Amino acid sequence: MSQAPFPQQPDPQFQQGPGQPYPPQQPAKPKKKWYRRVWVWILIAIVFIVIVANGNKGGSEAADTATVTGSVPAADTNASMKAEASANAAAKASQQAEASASAAAKASAEAAALKDPSSYKKLTDREFSMIVKDPESHKGEKVVLYGYVQQLDSATGPDVLLAGIGGSSKENWYEYQDRAIVVAGEKGMYQDVVQKDLVTIYATVNGSMSYDTQIGGNTTVPKLTANIIKVTGNDS
């Protein structure tokens, strides 16, 4: 059994005339709740932020990949390494060539100096006596010496002579009291030299040398290399 609806309340603005029914009333519209709208906008904002973030991340990764793969490709790296190796090899070859040229120039200058009489030191007899006393301590010194060829024969060979020698020129051959072995700096240098020649020798001191004497003894004398030899006379 259905219940009768509640009696409608009269509208105070409406004056009901006699015999007139109450006017129909419009149903009230439901009010939207405010917090539902807030949640919708929050969800929209979250979705937008996620989309933007993913877009930036993807772009950054793409850029990084492009940078990595584009900046050092394998082919370019190999070519760069080969070019660097070639440059290093060329620089090394240039340095070696420069060193060789420098060494050759130095050797040429030294050879020229050996033929320059002004590059040799003139000695006193006492200074030469110091060389005779200790030839090893005077190695490499370039000196001017004077002497008398005592032996230059088949026993010594064509490029070695035994000379009576001194630091100054003597009038007589027997005044040369010290002896020395003098080796030619070049083959054939003694071609025009014979025994009993008086000579001027531009020599380099090479230390000492021992040899057997004709009377069965053994003696040690200075060893010299003759770079220039001049015959000044003969005492035959």
Side-chain angles (χ1 to χ4, degrees):
M1 181 175 179
S2 60
Q3 295 180 354
F6 292 100
Q8 298 180 351
Q9 300 295 326
D11 187 349
Q13 297 180 355
F14 178 76
Q15 300 295 329
Q16 181 179 14
Q20 294 181 346
Y22 289 100
Q25 295 184 358
Q26 298 296 329
K29 294 182 179 180
K31 295 182 179 179
K32 294 182 179 180
K33 297 182 180 180
W34 63 271
Y35 54 85
R36 292 183 180 178
R37 296 179 182 177
V38 172
W39 279 111
V40 170
W41 284 110
I42 291 175
L43 289 175
I44 291 173
I46 292 173
V47 171
F48 178 77
I49 292 171
V50 170
I51 292 172
V52 172
N54 288 337
N56 292 337
K57 181 178 180 182
S60 177
E61 291 178 351
D64 292 343
T65 302
T67 300
V68 172
T69 58
S71 60
V72 284
D76 290 348
T77 301
N78 291 336
S80 177
M81 292 175 64
K82 289 180 180 179
E84 183 178 358
S86 298
N88 290 338
K92 185 176 181 180
S94 177
Q95 292 176 353
Q96 291 176 344
E98 184 178 353
S100 298
S102 178
K106 182 179 180 181
S108 178
E110 290 176 349
L114 290 177
K115 297 300 181 180
D116 180 9
S118 65
S119 65
Y120 292 80
K121 179 183 178 181
K122 293 184 177 181
L123 304 176
T124 63
D125 286 333
R126 186 177 188 282
E127 287 173 331
F128 179 67
S129 295
M130 297 298 291
I131 294 176
V132 173
K133 179 181 177 181
D134 186 8
E136 297 297 328
S137 64
H138 294 273
K139 278 185 177 181
E141 293 184 10
K142 296 166 60 180
V143 295
V144 182
L145 299 172
Y146 303 88
Y148 170 76
V149 180
Q150 291 182 335
Q151 184 178 357
L152 177 58
D153 52 22
S154 59
T156 62
D159 297 315
V160 180
L161 60 81
L162 174 65
I165 208 159
S168 61
S169 179
K170 312 296 182 184
E171 292 185 3
N172 301 300
W173 66 269
Y174 52 82
E175 294 182 73
Y176 294 107
Q177 298 297 315
D178 295 308
R179 288 178 174 78
I181 296 290
V182 186
V183 180
E186 296 176 356
K187 288 185 177 298
M189 180 180 289
Y190 296 159
Q191 182 176 357
D192 296 328
V193 181
V194 295
Q195 291 183 180
K196 299 183 179 181
D197 274 347
L198 298 171
V199 293
T200 301
I201 302 172
Y202 297 82
T204 303
V205 181
N206 290 331
S208 60
M209 180 176 179
S210 298
Y211 69 94
D212 294 330
T213 63
Q214 292 180 348
I215 60 175
N218 183 275
T219 186
T220 300
V221 297
K223 180 182 178 182
L224 311 171
T225 296
N227 301 307
I228 304 171
I229 187 168
K230 297 179 179 180
V231 177
T232 59
N234 184 276
D235 193 25
S236 57

